[in-house]
Amino acid sequence: MRTALLQSSGRPGSVAENLKVLDDAAGRAAAAGAALLTAPEMFLTGYAIGDDIARLAEPADGDSADAIAEIATRHGVAIVYGYPERDGETVHNSAQLIDATGTRRANYRKTHLFGCYERDHFTPGDDQLVQVELNGLTVGLLICYDVEFPENVRAHALAGTDLLLVPTAQMHPFQFVAESMIPVRAFENQMYVAYVNRVGQEDEFEFVGLSTLAGPDGVARARAGRTEQLVFADADPAFLAASRENNPYLKDRRPDLYGSLV
């Protein structure tokens, strides 16, 4: 499945402008043969927008979800995007997948919040494992800091995730996560991992870009730089099956030895 990674911070604070950016990217992704477009963490509104997070937060089935469903249907491409999700008085840092028919298929709430900024503005989610079948692949969702906990990715591996999508807001000086950790996560869990970052300066945060799609062999199939980019890579189920056969980490586990981890 050809996958497009939208490395962009959009226009922080403007949902309308970010929908335009997403529409343009979806058109370019579809023209390049992609079946899936993934945008970064909090793409809908911007990340470093302070109290506007609560003001701009929407339910999973809100007006922006309807607008993105129309974009996905018109271009014939599934879309994953980060957004602040309102659930009553609670706001979550969420990512939603809408398929090419405009159907909302999966919604994930970030479980591991990073730093005081996120803990001040969001409530963590409690559902570690969110998956959906898409174009013959089992697709899973995490958000940014979540992927830095090996337990989260291993849980997806054990549940059969083939392609793990990670909308992110990775900032300086932690670029080693994109450069080194993501390929290792893909290799040790025998899956594809798409890590899709924001880029540029937003308030006190400097987002480092370097979005990547890494394969189960630990090799980056696509790697963005430090500017706004749309990059593409393929998640190949045949290659994944062969890699899993040759690298039997999951089969060779000894769960009876790991009780102390929890």
Side-chain angles (χ1 to χ4, degrees):
M1 179 172 65
R2 174 143 290 198
T3 302
L5 283 57
L6 174 59
Q7 178 168 287
S8 172
S9 289
R11 308 296 178 263
S14 176
V15 171
E17 288 301 314
N18 291 330
L19 288 173
K20 291 178 182 178
V21 173
L22 195 62
D23 190 359
D24 175 74
R28 290 187 286 146
L36 171 65
L37 168 68
T38 301
E41 181 178 6
M42 290 287 288
F43 182 77
L44 182 64
T45 61
Y47 182 91
I49 59 173
D51 291 341
D52 279 348
I53 288 173
R55 181 177 66 84
L56 295 174
E58 298 185 26
D61 60 353
D63 290 344
S64 292
D66 289 343
I68 293 169
E70 189 279 327
I71 292 170
T73 302
R74 178 157 40 84
H75 294 294
V77 60
I79 297 175
V80 173
Y81 65 100
Y83 74 109
E85 180 193 356
R86 178 165 295 285
D87 183 6
E89 296 301 311
T90 300
V91 176
H92 298 281
N93 183 336
S94 296
Q96 181 153 237
L97 188 155
I98 296 176
D99 71 18
T101 72
T103 303
R104 294 187 301 109
R105 296 284 306 283
N107 189 68
Y108 171 77
R109 296 169 172 175
K110 190 174 186 178
T111 55
H112 294 70
L113 301 180
F114 179 77
C116 294
Y117 180 78
E118 290 193 6
R119 288 192 289 269
D120 285 345
H121 291 287
F122 300 108
T123 297
D126 293 322
D127 191 354
Q128 180 191 44
L129 195 64
V130 173
Q131 296 172 306
V132 64
E133 295 299 314
L134 189 69
N135 289 35
L137 293 174
T138 300
V139 174
L141 296 172
L142 291 176
I143 298 174
C144 197
Y145 194 40
D146 291 326
V147 80
E148 298 177 35
F149 292 82
E151 298 89 346
N152 284 335
V153 188
R154 182 51 55 89
H156 271 276
L158 294 174
T161 293
D162 300 315
L163 171 61
L164 184 63
L165 305 176
V166 189
T168 192
Q170 180 65 63
M171 57 198 70
H172 177 81
F174 305 111
Q175 48 266 32
F176 69 89
V177 174
E179 294 171 336
S180 301
M181 184 182 290
I182 296 305
V184 170
R185 286 282 182 271
F187 181 73
E188 69 188 3
N189 290 288
Q190 287 300 293
M191 63 173 61
Y192 289 94
V193 180
Y195 188 77
V196 188
N197 201 9
R198 304 179 70 83
V199 66
Q201 193 76 33
E202 291 182 46
D203 199 21
E204 72 267 35
F205 304 113
E206 179 189 350
F207 298 113
V208 300
L210 303 175
S211 299
T212 188
L213 193 152
D217 53 359
V219 175
R221 300 298 195 275
R223 172 80 72 184
R226 301 288 187 107
T227 61
E228 293 204 353
Q229 291 177 258
L230 185 67
V231 298
F232 300 89
D234 294 325
D236 180 354
F239 182 87
L240 179 60
S243 182
R244 286 172 170 170
E245 184 65 28
N246 293 327
N247 296 281
Y249 280 131
L250 301 183
K251 295 178 183 177
D252 290 346
R253 292 171 66 252
R254 292 278 311 277
D256 55 302
L257 301 179
Y258 308 150
S260 64
L261 296 178
V262 294

